[in-house]
């Protein structure tokens, strides 16, 4: 009795599937599919990509959420220059049910780099200027959405900017959320080197051992950290899963950026050049700086830590967390992640934000019912 129904179903599949089962003919077609799948359709929702005048230049953001009454969450990407907007189509959609999520391509990065004259902007790519940019961006979002407070999520390099915002304007924040949190830069570099060298020795990788041992007293007190040495340390640290757990590099994320609905072909064409420029101008300063002196917060603190993160030392971040004083604080471990927990464990990332961040806004009356 069931066979006629099965035959009918197969016949229907033969009619309807071929038109939809073909692989996309172009990047434009693939991007259109992604954009349509994640389209915000609720009447209270918001979905826009725009330039905002910050720090005297046009800086690009995407704003997405199913209900404008929800709390605003600004994600400050890492790198420096390693934008998160182009992969947010993958990890962020669940967040948008509970927050109005803002991705921001910083000065000298991503769409912001492509939209400005590099000759004018490149000399202004300094940490001091970008801290001011972050403060301006938070102020703009508060005005634009009529919010007394928002959430700031700083990832990696972005966590150094987020720390400064939290210190300067705690009254603007529901909470500061640190992911891959930068603390004591030089000590983190030393721990990363030890991890990579130990892994290379266990693996019998003579080339890696030779190159890593050649770094000598890397990041030792009083010794300047050279960019070439950072790159070498990161090469083998990443090879052994200290940046993305179970993987040897970030290539999958780079490929996923090609499906970003917010990015044009022109944006993609300059994305990695922008990343290189930002890295050259900012990275050695960041890894040479000890941010662990900041131990007092006047807003809640939420720390998201990848158990296998040696790119920015998770063990150091946990040690720092124990010393921090804050109105409230929470530490969430991601057991199957290294440095990219939002890409590596997107489900747990959503749960962490809903469990630890959103209730703070709800208590303040800043959330959709």
């Amino acid at each position: 009795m069931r066979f006629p129904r099965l035959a009918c179903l197969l016949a229907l599949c033969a009619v309807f599937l071929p038109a939809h089962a073909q692989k996309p003919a172009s990047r434009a077609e693939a991007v259109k599919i992604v954009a349509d799948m994640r389209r915000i359709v609720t009447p209270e929702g918001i979905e826009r990509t725009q330039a905002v005048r910050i720090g005297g230049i046009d800086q690009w953001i995407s704003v997405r959420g199913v209900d404008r009454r929800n709390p605003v969450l600004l994600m400050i990407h890492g790198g420096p220059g390693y934008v998160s907007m182009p992969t947010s189509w993958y990890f962020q959609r669940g967040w948008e049910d509970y927050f109005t999520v803002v991705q921001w391509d910083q000065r000298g990065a991503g769409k912001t780099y492509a939209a400005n004259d590099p000759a004018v902007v490149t000399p202004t790519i300094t940490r001091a200027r970008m801290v001011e940019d972050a403060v301006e961006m938070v102020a703009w979002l508060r005005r634009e959405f009529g919010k007394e407070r928002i959430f700031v999520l700083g990832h990696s390099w972005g966590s150094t900017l987020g720390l400064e915002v939290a210190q300067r304007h705690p009254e603007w924040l529901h909470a500061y959320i640190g992911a891959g949190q930068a603390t004591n830069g030089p000590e983190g570099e030393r721990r990363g080197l030890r991890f990579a060298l130990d892994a290379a020795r266990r693996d019998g990788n003579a080339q890696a051992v030779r190159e890593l041992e050649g770094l000598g007293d890397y990041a030792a007190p009083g010794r300047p950290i050279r960019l070439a040495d950072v790159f070498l340390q990161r090469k083998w640290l990443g090879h052994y899963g200290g940046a993305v757990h179970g993987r040897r590099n970030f290539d999958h994320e780079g490929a996923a950026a090609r499906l970003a609905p917010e990015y044009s072909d022109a944006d993609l064409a300059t994305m990695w050049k922008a990343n290189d420029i930002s890295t050259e101008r900012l990275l050695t300063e960041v890894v040479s700086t000890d941010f662990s002196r900041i131990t007092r917060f006047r807003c809640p603190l939420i720390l998201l830590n990848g158990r296998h993160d040696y790119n920015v030392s998770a063990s150091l971040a946990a040690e720092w967390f124990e010393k921090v004083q804050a109105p409230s604080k929470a530490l969430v471990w991601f057991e199957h992640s290294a440095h990219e927990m939002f890409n590596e464990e997107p489900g747990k990332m959503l749960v962490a934000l809903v469990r630890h961040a959103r209730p703070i806004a709800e208590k303040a009356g800043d959330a959709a019912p």
Side-chain angles (χ1 to χ4, degrees):
M1 293 296 292
R2 295 179 181 176
F3 290 115
R5 293 182 182 178
L6 177 60
C8 182
L9 178 61
L10 291 174
L12 285 171
C13 289
V15 172
F16 290 109
L17 280 180
H20 301 287
Q22 301 299 316
K23 67 179 181 180
S26 64
R27 175 183 177 264
E29 187 177 341
V31 166
K32 184 178 179 181
I33 293 169
V34 172
D36 196 41
M37 274 294 292
R38 67 169 193 161
R39 184 161 53 96
I40 301 294
V41 297
T42 53
E44 303 85 4
I46 182 170
E47 180 179 18
R48 71 194 201 206
T49 304
Q50 68 179 96
V52 180
R53 199 72 177 173
I54 297 291
I57 65 171
D58 286 342
Q59 302 202 31
W60 279 83
I61 61 171
S62 72
V63 185
R64 296 178 50 83
V66 301
D67 195 318
R68 295 166 184 256
R69 292 172 295 178
N70 279 330
V72 171
L73 188 156
L74 169 65
M75 183 169 182
I76 306 180
H77 67 70
Y82 194 78
V83 284
S84 52
M85 189 189 300
T87 55
S88 62
W89 64 266
Y90 168 72
F91 66 78
Q92 183 183 289
R93 181 60 188 87
W95 305 10
E96 296 160 11
D97 291 332
Y98 301 94
F99 304 89
T100 296
V101 185
V102 181
Q103 292 288 344
W104 165 37
D105 282 7
Q106 299 162 29
R107 177 181 299 265
K111 289 177 71 69
T112 298
Y113 176 87
N116 292 278
D117 181 352
V120 173
V121 174
T122 298
T124 72
I125 300 175
T126 66
R127 185 171 176 275
R129 174 62 260 178
M130 295 173 77
V131 168
E132 297 299 331
D133 287 353
V135 170
E136 285 189 39
M137 181 61 75
V138 173
W140 184 87
L141 290 169
R142 293 173 65 242
R143 292 193 305 270
E144 179 73 6
F145 293 98
K147 301 288 188 179
E148 182 179 352
R149 295 182 179 88
I150 73 168
F151 291 100
V152 165
L153 191 166
H155 176 242
S156 191
W157 145 259
S159 72
T160 76
L161 306 183
L163 280 180
E164 292 285 357
V165 175
Q167 292 299 299
R168 294 187 186 192
H169 293 288
E171 74 280 6
W172 290 2
L173 304 185
H174 284 305
Y176 169 64
I177 307 168
Q181 179 66 53
T183 53
N184 185 330
E187 175 60 19
E189 293 302 299
R190 293 190 288 270
R191 293 191 188 189
L193 175 60
R194 288 197 295 272
F195 161 80
L197 192 51
D198 288 346
R201 287 170 174 159
R202 287 194 302 270
D203 191 32
N205 188 333
Q207 178 188 351
V209 170
R210 182 174 63 254
E211 292 183 3
L212 291 167
E213 287 182 342
L215 291 176
D217 56 348
Y218 173 69
R223 176 181 171 179
I225 300 176
R226 300 187 311 131
L227 190 59
D229 292 346
V230 179
F231 286 162
L232 180 56
Q233 186 253 36
R234 293 295 196 276
K235 169 187 170 182
W236 293 113
L237 181 154
H239 179 82
Y240 288 109
V244 185
H245 183 50
R247 296 180 186 259
R248 294 189 172 184
N249 52 49
F250 296 94
D251 287 354
H252 58 297
E253 292 182 22
R258 296 172 58 197
L259 297 179
E262 298 91 349
Y263 268 48
S264 68
D265 289 344
D267 295 331
L268 288 173
T270 59
M271 185 176 76
W272 295 114
K273 180 179 180 180
N275 180 80
D276 291 345
I277 291 172
S278 296
T279 298
E280 289 168 5
R281 294 192 64 87
L282 296 167
L283 184 57
T284 54
E285 177 187 355
V286 175
V287 299
S288 300
T289 302
D290 183 359
F291 299 99
S292 63
R293 59 181 172 74
I294 300 173
T295 57
R296 187 179 297 273
F297 285 76
R298 289 176 291 155
C299 65
L301 169 67
I302 301 168
L303 190 65
L304 310 178
N305 234 12
R307 181 68 70 179
H308 306 278
D309 190 357
Y310 292 89
N311 197 73
V312 175
S313 175
S315 61
L316 266 178
E319 292 165 17
W320 168 78
F321 177 85
E322 292 302 317
K323 301 173 185 175
V324 167
Q325 298 178 21
S328 67
K329 61 180 187 175
L331 170 60
V332 182
W333 282 101
F334 290 74
E335 299 296 340
H336 307 294
S337 295
H339 194 52
E340 299 282 304
M341 65 286 294
F342 45 90
N343 277 315
E344 297 177 77
E345 294 182 76
K348 185 164 186 177
M349 184 75 179
L350 172 61
V351 170
L353 291 174
V354 172
R355 180 175 293 167
H356 297 285
R358 184 176 159 98
I360 298 172
E362 291 175 345
K363 186 175 180 180
D366 182 24

